[in-house]
């Protein structure tokens, strides 16, 4: 995700399919570890549309995500969007792809 317009795409897509946003800081070892673990565990790619956000390069988008979906900015962080609303979010060591199986 690299432009604010994609947030409208996220909202629109979320009316038909779950959308996941993974917010990642490329300078943070915790974020790197969380991303790698998530990638290894995530097996819902057919059921969930995923977006990756580099928060260092796209801070304005990260801030808009926090505002639009009413969540506190964290990194690393995942948000699951359904019908235009955040229905699940987790950050740092609480990020676990297995938790998403209950959202299907």
């Amino acid at each position: 995700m690299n432009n604010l317009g994609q947030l409208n795409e996220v909202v629109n897509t979320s009316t038909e399919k779950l959308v996941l946003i993974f917010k990642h800081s490329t300078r943070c070892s915790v974020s790197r570890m969380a991303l790698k673990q998530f990638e290894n565990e995530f097996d819902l790619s057919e059921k969930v549309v995923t977006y990756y956000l580099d928060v260092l390069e796209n801070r304005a988008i990260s801030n808009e995500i926090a505002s639009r979906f009413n969540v506190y900015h964290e990194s690393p962080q995942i948000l699951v969007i359904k019908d235009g609303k955040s229905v699940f979010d987790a950050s740092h060591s609480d990020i676990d792809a297995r938790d998403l199986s209950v959202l299907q």
Side-chain angles (χ1 to χ4, degrees):
M1 180 178 296
N2 57 16
N3 69 65
L4 284 169
Q6 286 179 296
L7 286 180
N8 293 329
E9 182 180 307
V10 165
V11 169
N12 291 336
T13 301
S14 75
T15 63
E16 299 173 14
K17 207 169 188 182
L18 289 178
V19 176
L20 180 129
I21 301 171
F22 193 107
K23 294 169 54 181
H24 172 62
S25 171
T26 55
R27 289 190 208 144
C28 174
S29 61
V30 172
S31 191
R32 213 172 13 258
M33 185 175 69
L35 178 60
K36 186 169 242 5
Q37 179 182 357
F38 185 82
E39 289 173 334
N40 288 336
E41 295 174 353
F42 185 71
D43 64 354
L44 300 170
S45 60
E46 293 178 11
K47 298 177 181 178
V48 179
V49 178
T50 57
Y51 288 84
Y52 167 86
L53 177 69
D54 179 337
V55 297
L56 297 176
E57 289 188 19
N58 300 289
R59 186 56 192 229
I61 298 171
S62 181
N63 290 340
E64 181 61 23
I65 287 170
S67 174
R68 189 177 294 199
F69 299 114
N70 199 28
V71 295
Y72 184 77
H73 163 77
E74 305 237 25
S75 175
Q77 182 178 43
I78 61 169
L79 291 90
V80 176
I81 311 302
K82 181 178 182 178
D83 295 326
K85 296 182 171 86
S86 175
V87 295
F88 177 84
D89 67 274
S91 64
H92 296 85
S93 62
D94 291 334
I95 295 173
D96 189 336
R98 294 171 294 195
D99 291 340
L100 301 178
S101 63
V102 299
L103 298 171
Q104 298 178 50

